[in-house]
Amino acid sequence: IQLAVRWGKIDMLRVLLKHDRSQGYVINRKNGYPLLLSAAHRGHVAVAREIIKYCPDAPYCKKDGWTCLHKAVKSGNMEFVEFILGEPRLQKLVNMRSSKGKTALHYAIQKCDPKIVAALLDKKIDLTILGSDGNAAAWELRDALDSAKTLNWNEVSMLMIKADPPNAKSVYNLHEEAKEKLINASRKDARSLTQTYTSNTSLVAILIATITFAAAFTLPGGYSSDAGSQGLPIMARNVAFKAFLISDTLAMCASLAVAFICIIARWEDLDFLLYYRSFTKKLMWFAYMATTTAFATGLYTVLAPRLLWLAVGICSVAVLVPILTKVLGEWPVLKLRIRLGQAFKSEFLDMV
């Protein structure tokens, strides 16, 4: 029967339990796992349902208190966790403690799994339970400080602040500790970080500068060859053409500024890097939007007299591109903001 559980052979398990229900109470001699714990390890929800169906009081933990919920959380089996939380006969496992005095929530936080943490917090879980080390569940975040730059760590932090307001100060302190640790680590590697960022940024900046510079000498509509206005832009009086010239100039100037800032970057100074990132990011976004505007207005100048619908369509797409870029680039953060609502703490994402 242990092999049937291990490999998820539901039909075989059903036959064995129908024949002899006492087999549902078998304990593995090697690791002390009851069948439910073995199923949790493998994430076999259907197997666990069959065991509960034929053996409602089947053992669910080892002698040391390690339950199938602990195992499911530790293994990251979200589906099995949901099964346990939805099974009335197993919901008591939520507040059961392991040999280290820790509940499933302790291990979920330690693992930085926001989905499991949120699922556990939805149940009547006792947040006052302390581990053998005297720490509440929220303090498990300290053991996961190496993951402090991830969205998962920060989402778990926000969830715990919302669920356990009395311990919110502790979570904020952990956040500050993680931030200080990351800053100190970054100072040691400031040269490498600056070099990487300046290389990537300057490449994009030079590309935009090249495009906009070339566009300035291949004006939409071309140049006039008429006497008296020879060499002048044909569309010089067009409003869209003027918008093209302005946006193209702004895009080129902004991107050139970024490219030359890369040259004067101070390689060893982390504070400069942080300032540099903030400043150049704004300039690059400005250059990006100005470039798309120049592209749209340039085509509008040429197409509008005969194909107005197409010109308007191109302008609309060009306007939407920076917006879509922003949304797609920050979609994980936006999803987190929507999911957490008022519990979202934007300051927690400074490290991400």
mmCIF file of all heavy atoms in Angstrom, residues 55-104:
data_model
loop_
_atom_site.group_PDB
_atom_site.id
_atom_site.type_symbol
_atom_site.label_atom_id
_atom_site.label_comp_id
_atom_site.label_asym_id
_atom_site.label_seq_id
_atom_site.Cartn_x
_atom_site.Cartn_y
_atom_site.Cartn_z
ATOM 1 N N CYS A 55 -10.565 5.756 5.735
ATOM 2 C CA CYS A 55 -10.021 5.801 7.103
ATOM 3 C C CYS A 55 -10.088 7.241 7.611
ATOM 4 O O CYS A 55 -9.076 7.967 7.576
ATOM 5 C CB CYS A 55 -8.579 5.305 7.126
ATOM 6 S SG CYS A 55 -8.334 3.698 6.348
ATOM 7 N N PRO A 56 -11.252 7.700 8.045
ATOM 8 C CA PRO A 56 -11.434 9.099 8.450
ATOM 9 C C PRO A 56 -10.472 9.553 9.551
ATOM 10 O O PRO A 56 -10.149 10.740 9.630
ATOM 11 C CB PRO A 56 -12.885 9.141 8.944
ATOM 12 C CG PRO A 56 -13.545 7.978 8.279
ATOM 13 C CD PRO A 56 -12.497 6.919 8.187
ATOM 14 N N ASP A 57 -10.041 8.623 10.384
ATOM 15 C CA ASP A 57 -9.135 8.990 11.476
ATOM 16 C C ASP A 57 -7.719 8.472 11.225
ATOM 17 O O ASP A 57 -6.974 8.167 12.165
ATOM 18 C CB ASP A 57 -9.662 8.458 12.808
ATOM 19 C CG ASP A 57 -9.852 6.935 12.787
ATOM 20 O OD1 ASP A 57 -9.892 6.361 11.671
ATOM 21 O OD2 ASP A 57 -9.952 6.331 13.871
ATOM 22 N N ALA A 58 -7.355 8.380 9.953
ATOM 23 C CA ALA A 58 -6.012 7.911 9.601
ATOM 24 C C ALA A 58 -4.960 8.835 10.209
ATOM 25 O O ALA A 58 -5.174 10.046 10.312
ATOM 26 C CB ALA A 58 -5.858 7.874 8.084
ATOM 27 N N PRO A 59 -3.828 8.284 10.639
ATOM 28 C CA PRO A 59 -2.776 9.122 11.241
ATOM 29 C C PRO A 59 -2.254 10.148 10.241
ATOM 30 O O PRO A 59 -2.112 9.863 9.052
ATOM 31 C CB PRO A 59 -1.696 8.113 11.629
ATOM 32 C CG PRO A 59 -1.960 6.906 10.802
ATOM 33 C CD PRO A 59 -3.434 6.858 10.575
ATOM 34 N N TYR A 60 -1.987 11.334 10.742
ATOM 35 C CA TYR A 60 -1.575 12.433 9.864
ATOM 36 C C TYR A 60 -0.242 13.053 10.278
ATOM 37 O O TYR A 60 0.164 14.064 9.719
ATOM 38 C CB TYR A 60 -2.648 13.523 9.852
ATOM 39 C CG TYR A 60 -3.180 13.866 11.228
ATOM 40 C CD1 TYR A 60 -2.415 14.586 12.137
ATOM 41 C CD2 TYR A 60 -4.444 13.437 11.620
ATOM 42 C CE1 TYR A 60 -2.892 14.882 13.396
ATOM 43 C CE2 TYR A 60 -4.931 13.733 12.879
ATOM 44 C CZ TYR A 60 -4.149 14.459 13.769
ATOM 45 O OH TYR A 60 -4.615 14.745 15.024
ATOM 46 N N CYS A 61 0.415 12.462 11.271
ATOM 47 C CA CYS A 61 1.692 13.043 11.691
ATOM 48 C C CYS A 61 2.633 11.979 12.239
ATOM 49 O O CYS A 61 2.214 10.872 12.585
ATOM 50 C CB CYS A 61 1.467 14.131 12.740
ATOM 51 S SG CYS A 61 0.819 13.516 14.307
ATOM 52 N N LYS A 62 3.906 12.355 12.302
ATOM 53 C CA LYS A 62 4.906 11.487 12.917
ATOM 54 C C LYS A 62 4.844 11.658 14.436
ATOM 55 O O LYS A 62 4.137 12.525 14.951
ATOM 56 C CB LYS A 62 6.298 11.867 12.404
ATOM 57 C CG LYS A 62 6.511 11.600 10.922
ATOM 58 C CD LYS A 62 7.845 12.158 10.437
ATOM 59 C CE LYS A 62 9.017 11.454 11.102
ATOM 60 N NZ LYS A 62 10.324 11.947 10.591
ATOM 61 N N LYS A 63 5.619 10.884 15.122
ATOM 62 C CA LYS A 63 5.627 10.957 16.583
ATOM 63 C C LYS A 63 6.155 12.299 17.089
ATOM 64 O O LYS A 63 5.817 12.739 18.185
ATOM 65 C CB LYS A 63 6.474 9.819 17.157
ATOM 66 C CG LYS A 63 5.853 8.438 16.964
ATOM 67 C CD LYS A 63 6.726 7.359 17.583
ATOM 68 C CE LYS A 63 6.094 5.978 17.399
ATOM 69 N NZ LYS A 63 6.939 4.907 17.990
ATOM 70 N N ASP A 64 6.995 12.944 16.274
ATOM 71 C CA ASP A 64 7.576 14.221 16.708
ATOM 72 C C ASP A 64 6.680 15.420 16.383
ATOM 73 O O ASP A 64 7.087 16.574 16.564
ATOM 74 C CB ASP A 64 8.960 14.419 16.080
ATOM 75 C CG ASP A 64 8.912 14.448 14.550
ATOM 76 O OD1 ASP A 64 7.805 14.339 13.987
ATOM 77 O OD2 ASP A 64 9.982 14.574 13.929
ATOM 78 N N GLY A 65 5.471 15.152 15.869
ATOM 79 C CA GLY A 65 4.536 16.239 15.593
ATOM 80 C C GLY A 65 4.587 16.774 14.176
ATOM 81 O O GLY A 65 3.848 17.706 13.831
ATOM 82 N N TRP A 66 5.443 16.198 13.345
ATOM 83 C CA TRP A 66 5.566 16.646 11.949
ATOM 84 C C TRP A 66 4.363 16.139 11.154
ATOM 85 O O TRP A 66 4.245 14.958 10.880
ATOM 86 C CB TRP A 66 6.866 16.123 11.361
ATOM 87 C CG TRP A 66 7.185 16.625 9.985
ATOM 88 C CD1 TRP A 66 7.085 15.933 8.824
ATOM 89 C CD2 TRP A 66 7.675 17.918 9.621
ATOM 90 N NE1 TRP A 66 7.471 16.698 7.758
ATOM 91 C CE2 TRP A 66 7.841 17.935 8.217
ATOM 92 C CE3 TRP A 66 7.980 19.072 10.343
ATOM 93 C CZ2 TRP A 66 8.307 19.043 7.522
ATOM 94 C CZ3 TRP A 66 8.445 20.183 9.655
ATOM 95 C CH2 TRP A 66 8.608 20.163 8.262
ATOM 96 N N THR A 67 3.459 17.046 10.808
ATOM 97 C CA THR A 67 2.200 16.661 10.176
ATOM 98 C C THR A 67 2.287 16.678 8.652
ATOM 99 O O THR A 67 3.260 17.178 8.071
ATOM 100 C CB THR A 67 1.071 17.615 10.603
ATOM 101 O OG1 THR A 67 1.327 18.909 10.020
ATOM 102 C CG2 THR A 67 0.990 17.740 12.115
ATOM 103 N N CYS A 68 1.224 16.163 8.042
ATOM 104 C CA CYS A 68 1.176 16.192 6.578
ATOM 105 C C CYS A 68 1.050 17.629 6.067
ATOM 106 O O CYS A 68 1.465 17.933 4.947
ATOM 107 C CB CYS A 68 0.030 15.332 6.056
ATOM 108 S SG CYS A 68 -1.596 15.735 6.705
ATOM 109 N N LEU A 69 0.517 18.534 6.892
ATOM 110 C CA LEU A 69 0.452 19.943 6.495
ATOM 111 C C LEU A 69 1.847 20.557 6.516
ATOM 112 O O LEU A 69 2.217 21.311 5.604
ATOM 113 C CB LEU A 69 -0.482 20.719 7.428
ATOM 114 C CG LEU A 69 -0.639 22.217 7.118
ATOM 115 C CD1 LEU A 69 -1.134 22.429 5.696
ATOM 116 C CD2 LEU A 69 -1.590 22.878 8.110
ATOM 117 N N HIS A 70 2.619 20.243 7.551
ATOM 118 C CA HIS A 70 4.012 20.702 7.586
ATOM 119 C C HIS A 70 4.746 20.242 6.325
ATOM 120 O O HIS A 70 5.474 21.016 5.691
ATOM 121 C CB HIS A 70 4.740 20.126 8.815
ATOM 122 C CG HIS A 70 4.373 20.788 10.106
ATOM 123 N ND1 HIS A 70 3.708 20.133 11.108
ATOM 124 C CD2 HIS A 70 4.573 22.048 10.561
ATOM 125 C CE1 HIS A 70 3.525 20.948 12.134
ATOM 126 N NE2 HIS A 70 4.040 22.126 11.821
ATOM 127 N N LYS A 71 4.542 18.973 5.988
ATOM 128 C CA LYS A 71 5.246 18.393 4.845
ATOM 129 C C LYS A 71 4.807 19.035 3.537
ATOM 130 O O LYS A 71 5.640 19.331 2.669
ATOM 131 C CB LYS A 71 4.991 16.879 4.790
ATOM 132 C CG LYS A 71 5.871 16.155 3.777
ATOM 133 C CD LYS A 71 7.338 16.274 4.159
ATOM 134 C CE LYS A 71 8.243 15.618 3.143
ATOM 135 N NZ LYS A 71 9.669 15.774 3.491
ATOM 136 N N ALA A 72 3.513 19.258 3.391
ATOM 137 C CA ALA A 72 3.000 19.873 2.165
ATOM 138 C C ALA A 72 3.540 21.289 1.997
ATOM 139 O O ALA A 72 3.918 21.702 0.898
ATOM 140 C CB ALA A 72 1.473 19.889 2.188
ATOM 141 N N VAL A 73 3.592 22.025 3.104
ATOM 142 C CA VAL A 73 4.122 23.392 3.065
ATOM 143 C C VAL A 73 5.608 23.368 2.726
ATOM 144 O O VAL A 73 6.080 24.130 1.874
ATOM 145 C CB VAL A 73 3.887 24.102 4.416
ATOM 146 C CG1 VAL A 73 4.669 25.409 4.476
ATOM 147 C CG2 VAL A 73 2.405 24.365 4.624
ATOM 148 N N LYS A 74 6.335 22.501 3.389
ATOM 149 C CA LYS A 74 7.782 22.413 3.168
ATOM 150 C C LYS A 74 8.095 22.006 1.731
ATOM 151 O O LYS A 74 9.092 22.446 1.146
ATOM 152 C CB LYS A 74 8.381 21.397 4.142
ATOM 153 C CG LYS A 74 9.883 21.492 4.309
ATOM 154 C CD LYS A 74 10.299 22.715 5.095
ATOM 155 C CE LYS A 74 11.798 22.706 5.382
ATOM 156 N NZ LYS A 74 12.232 23.943 6.062
ATOM 157 N N SER A 75 7.226 21.168 1.155
ATOM 158 C CA SER A 75 7.436 20.706 -0.222
ATOM 159 C C SER A 75 6.864 21.676 -1.249
ATOM 160 O O SER A 75 7.061 21.495 -2.450
ATOM 161 C CB SER A 75 6.787 19.329 -0.414
ATOM 162 O OG SER A 75 7.325 18.385 0.485
ATOM 163 N N GLY A 76 6.139 22.685 -0.772
ATOM 164 C CA GLY A 76 5.562 23.672 -1.684
ATOM 165 C C GLY A 76 4.383 23.152 -2.482
ATOM 166 O O GLY A 76 4.094 23.662 -3.568
ATOM 167 N N ASN A 77 3.683 22.141 -1.943
ATOM 168 C CA ASN A 77 2.528 21.560 -2.636
ATOM 169 C C ASN A 77 1.256 22.331 -2.280
ATOM 170 O O ASN A 77 0.523 21.973 -1.361
ATOM 171 C CB ASN A 77 2.372 20.080 -2.266
ATOM 172 C CG ASN A 77 3.502 19.234 -2.805
ATOM 173 O OD1 ASN A 77 3.962 19.446 -3.922
ATOM 174 N ND2 ASN A 77 3.972 18.277 -2.018
ATOM 175 N N MET A 78 1.012 23.393 -3.022
ATOM 176 C CA MET A 78 -0.116 24.278 -2.734
ATOM 177 C C MET A 78 -1.451 23.543 -2.808
ATOM 178 O O MET A 78 -2.344 23.758 -1.983
ATOM 179 C CB MET A 78 -0.103 25.452 -3.725
ATOM 180 C CG MET A 78 -1.221 26.455 -3.516
ATOM 181 S SD MET A 78 -1.069 27.276 -1.912
ATOM 182 C CE MET A 78 -2.659 28.074 -1.777
ATOM 183 N N GLU A 79 -1.598 22.669 -3.787
ATOM 184 C CA GLU A 79 -2.861 21.947 -3.958
ATOM 185 C C GLU A 79 -3.152 21.075 -2.742
ATOM 186 O O GLU A 79 -4.295 20.989 -2.283
ATOM 187 C CB GLU A 79 -2.807 21.093 -5.225
ATOM 188 C CG GLU A 79 -4.140 20.457 -5.586
ATOM 189 C CD GLU A 79 -4.068 19.599 -6.840
ATOM 190 O OE1 GLU A 79 -2.992 19.573 -7.477
ATOM 191 O OE2 GLU A 79 -5.077 18.954 -7.168
ATOM 192 N N PHE A 80 -2.105 20.459 -2.201
ATOM 193 C CA PHE A 80 -2.299 19.599 -1.031
ATOM 194 C C PHE A 80 -2.630 20.442 0.201
ATOM 195 O O PHE A 80 -3.439 20.050 1.039
ATOM 196 C CB PHE A 80 -1.049 18.754 -0.772
ATOM 197 C CG PHE A 80 -1.323 17.495 -0.006
ATOM 198 C CD1 PHE A 80 -1.514 16.295 -0.667
ATOM 199 C CD2 PHE A 80 -1.422 17.504 1.380
ATOM 200 C CE1 PHE A 80 -1.791 15.125 0.038
ATOM 201 C CE2 PHE A 80 -1.692 16.351 2.092
ATOM 202 C CZ PHE A 80 -1.884 15.151 1.419
ATOM 203 N N VAL A 81 -1.998 21.601 0.294
ATOM 204 C CA VAL A 81 -2.302 22.517 1.405
ATOM 205 C C VAL A 81 -3.774 22.923 1.355
ATOM 206 O O VAL A 81 -4.468 22.925 2.378
ATOM 207 C CB VAL A 81 -1.396 23.767 1.342
ATOM 208 C CG1 VAL A 81 -1.851 24.809 2.360
ATOM 209 C CG2 VAL A 81 0.059 23.392 1.596
ATOM 210 N N GLU A 82 -4.254 23.257 0.166
ATOM 211 C CA GLU A 82 -5.658 23.644 0.013
ATOM 212 C C GLU A 82 -6.592 22.490 0.365
ATOM 213 O O GLU A 82 -7.665 22.705 0.937
ATOM 214 C CB GLU A 82 -5.911 24.107 -1.426
ATOM 215 C CG GLU A 82 -5.253 25.446 -1.754
ATOM 216 C CD GLU A 82 -5.429 25.845 -3.204
ATOM 217 O OE1 GLU A 82 -5.637 24.935 -4.049
ATOM 218 O OE2 GLU A 82 -5.354 27.051 -3.500
ATOM 219 N N PHE A 83 -6.172 21.272 0.022
ATOM 220 C CA PHE A 83 -6.979 20.095 0.370
ATOM 221 C C PHE A 83 -7.110 19.962 1.888
ATOM 222 O O PHE A 83 -8.210 19.752 2.415
ATOM 223 C CB PHE A 83 -6.341 18.832 -0.218
ATOM 224 C CG PHE A 83 -6.784 17.561 0.448
ATOM 225 C CD1 PHE A 83 -8.076 17.086 0.278
ATOM 226 C CD2 PHE A 83 -5.911 16.856 1.268
ATOM 227 C CE1 PHE A 83 -8.493 15.912 0.907
ATOM 228 C CE2 PHE A 83 -6.313 15.692 1.899
ATOM 229 C CZ PHE A 83 -7.608 15.217 1.720
ATOM 230 N N ILE A 84 -6.006 20.104 2.586
ATOM 231 C CA ILE A 84 -6.031 19.980 4.050
ATOM 232 C C ILE A 84 -6.889 21.077 4.673
ATOM 233 O O ILE A 84 -7.698 20.822 5.566
ATOM 234 C CB ILE A 84 -4.596 20.028 4.618
ATOM 235 C CG1 ILE A 84 -3.809 18.794 4.175
ATOM 236 C CG2 ILE A 84 -4.618 20.125 6.142
ATOM 237 C CD1 ILE A 84 -2.339 18.829 4.539
ATOM 238 N N LEU A 85 -6.713 22.293 4.185
ATOM 239 C CA LEU A 85 -7.468 23.417 4.746
ATOM 240 C C LEU A 85 -8.961 23.313 4.439
ATOM 241 O O LEU A 85 -9.786 23.871 5.169
ATOM 242 C CB LEU A 85 -6.916 24.738 4.194
ATOM 243 C CG LEU A 85 -5.458 25.056 4.548
ATOM 244 C CD1 LEU A 85 -5.041 26.373 3.917
ATOM 245 C CD2 LEU A 85 -5.255 25.106 6.055
ATOM 246 N N GLY A 86 -9.288 22.602 3.375
ATOM 247 C CA GLY A 86 -10.689 22.444 3.011
ATOM 248 C C GLY A 86 -11.330 21.194 3.581
ATOM 249 O O GLY A 86 -12.545 20.997 3.450
ATOM 250 N N GLU A 87 -10.536 20.344 4.200
ATOM 251 C CA GLU A 87 -11.040 19.099 4.789
ATOM 252 C C GLU A 87 -11.305 19.315 6.281
ATOM 253 O O GLU A 87 -10.371 19.488 7.065
ATOM 254 C CB GLU A 87 -10.004 17.985 4.594
ATOM 255 C CG GLU A 87 -10.343 16.665 5.258
ATOM 256 C CD GLU A 87 -11.669 16.098 4.805
ATOM 257 O OE1 GLU A 87 -11.866 15.944 3.587
ATOM 258 O OE2 GLU A 87 -12.507 15.819 5.691
ATOM 259 N N PRO A 88 -12.572 19.325 6.693
ATOM 260 C CA PRO A 88 -12.914 19.614 8.101
ATOM 261 C C PRO A 88 -12.161 18.746 9.107
ATOM 262 O O PRO A 88 -11.792 19.215 10.189
ATOM 263 C CB PRO A 88 -14.422 19.347 8.156
ATOM 264 C CG PRO A 88 -14.888 19.545 6.745
ATOM 265 C CD PRO A 88 -13.766 19.055 5.884
ATOM 266 N N ARG A 89 -11.907 17.494 8.741
ATOM 267 C CA ARG A 89 -11.249 16.580 9.679
ATOM 268 C C ARG A 89 -9.756 16.856 9.830
ATOM 269 O O ARG A 89 -9.110 16.324 10.739
ATOM 270 C CB ARG A 89 -11.471 15.131 9.226
ATOM 271 C CG ARG A 89 -12.883 14.622 9.452
ATOM 272 C CD ARG A 89 -13.169 13.354 8.690
ATOM 273 N NE ARG A 89 -13.299 13.585 7.260
ATOM 274 C CZ ARG A 89 -13.742 12.680 6.386
ATOM 275 N NH1 ARG A 89 -14.107 11.489 6.807
ATOM 276 N NH2 ARG A 89 -13.831 12.970 5.104
ATOM 277 N N LEU A 90 -9.215 17.694 8.955
ATOM 278 C CA LEU A 90 -7.776 17.970 9.005
ATOM 279 C C LEU A 90 -7.451 19.430 9.329
ATOM 280 O O LEU A 90 -6.281 19.787 9.452
ATOM 281 C CB LEU A 90 -7.126 17.603 7.663
ATOM 282 C CG LEU A 90 -7.164 16.118 7.264
ATOM 283 C CD1 LEU A 90 -6.563 15.940 5.878
ATOM 284 C CD2 LEU A 90 -6.408 15.262 8.276
ATOM 285 N N GLN A 91 -8.465 20.260 9.474
ATOM 286 C CA GLN A 91 -8.218 21.686 9.694
ATOM 287 C C GLN A 91 -7.506 21.968 11.017
ATOM 288 O O GLN A 91 -6.864 23.006 11.176
ATOM 289 C CB GLN A 91 -9.527 22.462 9.626
ATOM 290 C CG GLN A 91 -10.062 22.595 8.205
ATOM 291 C CD GLN A 91 -11.309 23.450 8.124
ATOM 292 O OE1 GLN A 91 -11.765 24.010 9.121
ATOM 293 N NE2 GLN A 91 -11.880 23.559 6.933
ATOM 294 N N LYS A 92 -7.609 21.033 11.953
ATOM 295 C CA LYS A 92 -6.933 21.227 13.240
ATOM 296 C C LYS A 92 -5.410 21.219 13.094
ATOM 297 O O LYS A 92 -4.684 21.662 13.987
ATOM 298 C CB LYS A 92 -7.347 20.129 14.219
ATOM 299 C CG LYS A 92 -7.052 18.714 13.724
ATOM 300 C CD LYS A 92 -7.614 17.671 14.660
ATOM 301 C CE LYS A 92 -7.408 16.259 14.100
ATOM 302 N NZ LYS A 92 -8.003 15.232 14.979
ATOM 303 N N LEU A 93 -4.927 20.731 11.957
ATOM 304 C CA LEU A 93 -3.481 20.676 11.734
ATOM 305 C C LEU A 93 -2.864 22.067 11.615
ATOM 306 O O LEU A 93 -1.651 22.225 11.761
ATOM 307 C CB LEU A 93 -3.161 19.883 10.461
ATOM 308 C CG LEU A 93 -3.022 18.359 10.596
ATOM 309 C CD1 LEU A 93 -4.308 17.727 11.094
ATOM 310 C CD2 LEU A 93 -2.610 17.739 9.259
ATOM 311 N N VAL A 94 -3.696 23.062 11.351
ATOM 312 C CA VAL A 94 -3.204 24.428 11.129
ATOM 313 C C VAL A 94 -2.370 24.924 12.305
ATOM 314 O O VAL A 94 -1.338 25.577 12.114
ATOM 315 C CB VAL A 94 -4.389 25.387 10.863
ATOM 316 C CG1 VAL A 94 -3.916 26.830 10.891
ATOM 317 C CG2 VAL A 94 -5.025 25.086 9.522
ATOM 318 N N ASN A 95 -2.800 24.622 13.510
ATOM 319 C CA ASN A 95 -2.108 25.129 14.700
ATOM 320 C C ASN A 95 -1.238 24.079 15.393
ATOM 321 O O ASN A 95 -0.741 24.332 16.492
ATOM 322 C CB ASN A 95 -3.126 25.691 15.697
ATOM 323 C CG ASN A 95 -3.756 26.980 15.198
ATOM 324 O OD1 ASN A 95 -3.074 27.839 14.659
ATOM 325 N ND2 ASN A 95 -5.065 27.104 15.353
ATOM 326 N N MET A 96 -1.067 22.939 14.756
ATOM 327 C CA MET A 96 -0.215 21.911 15.362
ATOM 328 C C MET A 96 1.254 22.269 15.178
ATOM 329 O O MET A 96 1.649 22.850 14.160
ATOM 330 C CB MET A 96 -0.521 20.545 14.756
ATOM 331 C CG MET A 96 -1.869 19.987 15.194
ATOM 332 S SD MET A 96 -2.140 18.271 14.704
ATOM 333 C CE MET A 96 -0.892 17.421 15.675
ATOM 334 N N ARG A 97 2.055 21.914 16.163
ATOM 335 C CA ARG A 97 3.462 22.319 16.177
ATOM 336 C C ARG A 97 4.382 21.127 15.945
ATOM 337 O O ARG A 97 4.095 20.008 16.371
ATOM 338 C CB ARG A 97 3.786 22.974 17.520
ATOM 339 C CG ARG A 97 2.887 24.156 17.837
ATOM 340 C CD ARG A 97 2.954 24.548 19.293
ATOM 341 N NE ARG A 97 4.231 25.165 19.620
ATOM 342 C CZ ARG A 97 4.593 25.497 20.854
ATOM 343 N NH1 ARG A 97 3.779 25.259 21.870
ATOM 344 N NH2 ARG A 97 5.771 26.055 21.075
ATOM 345 N N SER A 98 5.476 21.402 15.272
ATOM 346 C CA SER A 98 6.487 20.371 15.044
ATOM 347 C C SER A 98 7.356 20.235 16.291
ATOM 348 O O SER A 98 7.127 20.905 17.300
ATOM 349 C CB SER A 98 7.352 20.755 13.843
ATOM 350 O OG SER A 98 8.125 21.913 14.146
ATOM 351 N N SER A 99 8.371 19.400 16.203
ATOM 352 C CA SER A 99 9.268 19.210 17.354
ATOM 353 C C SER A 99 10.008 20.499 17.701
ATOM 354 O O SER A 99 10.486 20.668 18.821
ATOM 355 C CB SER A 99 10.276 18.097 17.047
ATOM 356 O OG SER A 99 11.022 18.412 15.877
ATOM 357 N N LYS A 100 10.087 21.421 16.735
ATOM 358 C CA LYS A 100 10.728 22.719 16.975
ATOM 359 C C LYS A 100 9.726 23.772 17.429
ATOM 360 O O LYS A 100 10.066 24.955 17.531
ATOM 361 C CB LYS A 100 11.440 23.188 15.708
ATOM 362 C CG LYS A 100 12.596 22.287 15.290
ATOM 363 C CD LYS A 100 13.285 22.820 14.047
ATOM 364 C CE LYS A 100 14.454 21.926 13.640
ATOM 365 N NZ LYS A 100 15.128 22.421 12.410
ATOM 366 N N GLY A 101 8.508 23.333 17.669
ATOM 367 C CA GLY A 101 7.482 24.251 18.152
ATOM 368 C C GLY A 101 6.890 25.135 17.075
ATOM 369 O O GLY A 101 6.218 26.121 17.378
ATOM 370 N N LYS A 102 7.114 24.784 15.819
ATOM 371 C CA LYS A 102 6.675 25.645 14.722
ATOM 372 C C LYS A 102 5.431 25.092 14.035
ATOM 373 O O LYS A 102 5.309 23.885 13.829
ATOM 374 C CB LYS A 102 7.802 25.811 13.701
ATOM 375 C CG LYS A 102 9.031 26.507 14.271
ATOM 376 C CD LYS A 102 10.114 26.684 13.226
ATOM 377 C CE LYS A 102 11.329 27.405 13.813
ATOM 378 N NZ LYS A 102 12.389 27.631 12.814
ATOM 379 N N THR A 103 4.547 26.011 13.682
ATOM 380 C CA THR A 103 3.354 25.637 12.926
ATOM 381 C C THR A 103 3.674 25.655 11.436
ATOM 382 O O THR A 103 4.775 26.054 11.020
ATOM 383 C CB THR A 103 2.204 26.622 13.201
ATOM 384 O OG1 THR A 103 2.586 27.921 12.710
ATOM 385 C CG2 THR A 103 1.896 26.711 14.686
ATOM 386 N N ALA A 104 2.691 25.267 10.643
ATOM 387 C CA ALA A 104 2.880 25.283 9.186
ATOM 388 C C ALA A 104 3.155 26.701 8.694
ATOM 389 O O ALA A 104 3.894 26.903 7.726
ATOM 390 C CB ALA A 104 1.637 24.716 8.504
#
